[in-house]
């Protein structure tokens, strides 16, 4: 057993000063407010203990990419060092054979516990909203390909992003939902009506809201309003100060509430690296001043963010420090866990995985525990 004490602990949405967590093996067995029930094994009198971060949309980091089978573990380890204890690894649009190979590699990594599952961002997206995806490989969802992808994943695919205006999307949404896969709307030029139809069919997530979709218009509200107004929808936000103006991010958080907003990195291999040339699938990317763009264009190509940085960003929203801290915990752990149907993670409570992050008074990461082990 290990007993951890801290000046502050966020325990199942409650801010405790002080607080403590007790682990045994890979699980939390007890936690509470006040002084610990015995001498602590680890004491952080000036620290803040929060649940391990859950990133539901990330392509790589530390120079490694989830599209390369040999780099999966390195990418996951990089983000683990930044507090991400649960990773949904994202694949970009690719040719059919490449897509299936990527799914098989990540399915194996999921079974080995390196990542928690797979997110397919494409290939069933809109060419007009392709972002940093290879528009030449975008296609309508074909039932045979959908079945092939699900078979290759063997139950490890947890989320799929698609554009609901593409022919065949209605059937694809039904097929994925029947297979227990979360369906997200993104990289789309859908109308308000097409988006609400997708939600009626079972889509429950908005992929990086506002990015790679039409902006909100008072006569043609498009997907942004449809996703925001549905209480069953979780919206992803890349709160890195590049993808969204901070005022826009704050407005979304206030409108939807932390219970419906998931902070995501959408990080690519360039996260944690110096500026330079990188790849996102087949698309060349250049990073300058920490901002990734498709080579020769102004198009943003994912981010170079990490979840510990995003935690600090979302914790800065709102005038009440305690409410902002609780909201940051919600958006970086509990909300993505609920959106993906992950059980036993996303909070510090007995019976949950011993995944936690220790922050200092400036909300900078000082320690990470994953499955009961300090990393």
């Amino acid at each position: 057993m290990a007993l951890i004490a801290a000046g502050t602990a966020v325990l199942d949405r409650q801010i405790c000063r002080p607080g403590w967590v007790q682990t045994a093996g890979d699980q939390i067995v007890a936690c509470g407010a006040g002084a610990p029930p015995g001498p602590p094994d680890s004491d952080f009198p000036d620290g803040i203990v929060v649940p391990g971060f859950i990133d539901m949309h990330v392509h790589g980091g530390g120079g490694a990419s989830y599209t390369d089978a040999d780099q999966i573990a390195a990418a996951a380890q990089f983000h683990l060092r930044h507090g991400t204890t649960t990773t949904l690894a994202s694949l970009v649009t690719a040719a059919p054979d490449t897509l299936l190979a990527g799914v098989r590699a990540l399915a194996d990594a999921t079974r080995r516990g390196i990542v928690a599952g797979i997110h397919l961002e494409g290939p069933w997206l809109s060419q007009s909203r392709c972002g940093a995806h290879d528009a030449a490989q975008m296609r309508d969802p074909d039932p045979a390909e959908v079945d092939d992808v699900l078979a290759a994943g063997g139950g490890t695919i947890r989320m799929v992003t698609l554009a609901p205006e593409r022919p065949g999307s209605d059937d694809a949404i039904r097929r994925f939902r029947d297979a227990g896969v979360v369906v997200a709307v993104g990289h789309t030029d859908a109308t308000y009506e097409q988006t609400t139809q997708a939600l009626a069919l079972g889509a429950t997530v908005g992929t990086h809201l506002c990015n790679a979709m039409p902006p909100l218009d008072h006569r043609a509200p498009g997907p942004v309003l449809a996703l925001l107004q549905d209480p069953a929808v979780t919206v992803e936000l890349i709160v890195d100060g590049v993808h969204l103006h901070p005022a826009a991010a704050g407005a979304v958080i206030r409108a939807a509430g932390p219970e419906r907003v998931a902070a995501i990195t959408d990080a690519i291999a360039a996260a944690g690296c110096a500026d330079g040339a990188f790849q996102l699938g087949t698309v060349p990317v250049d990073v300058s001043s920490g901002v990734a763009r498709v080579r020769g264009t102004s198009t943003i190509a994912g981010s170079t963010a990490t979840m510990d940085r995003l935690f600090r960003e979302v914790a800065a929203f709102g005038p009440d420090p305690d409410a902002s801290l609780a909201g940051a915990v919600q958006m970086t752990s509990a909300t993505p866990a609920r959106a993906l149907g992950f059980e036993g993670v996303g909070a510090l409570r007995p019976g949950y995985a011993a995944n936690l992050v220790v922050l200092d008074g400036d909300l900078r990461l000082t320690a990470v525990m994953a499955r009961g082990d300090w990393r």
Side-chain angles (χ1 to χ4, degrees), residues 150 157-159 174-183 340:
L150 288 170
I157 298 173
R158 300 302 295 253
M159 186 167 75
R174 295 187 188 97
R175 179 70 181 94
F176 283 123
R177 294 300 294 146
D178 288 346
V181 176
V182 173
V183 176
L340 296 170

Side-chain angles (χ1 to χ4, degrees), residues 353-368:
N355 296 339
L356 58 85
V357 170
V358 183
L359 308 169
D360 66 16
D362 294 323
L363 301 183
R364 296 192 176 275
L365 187 146
T366 60
V368 180

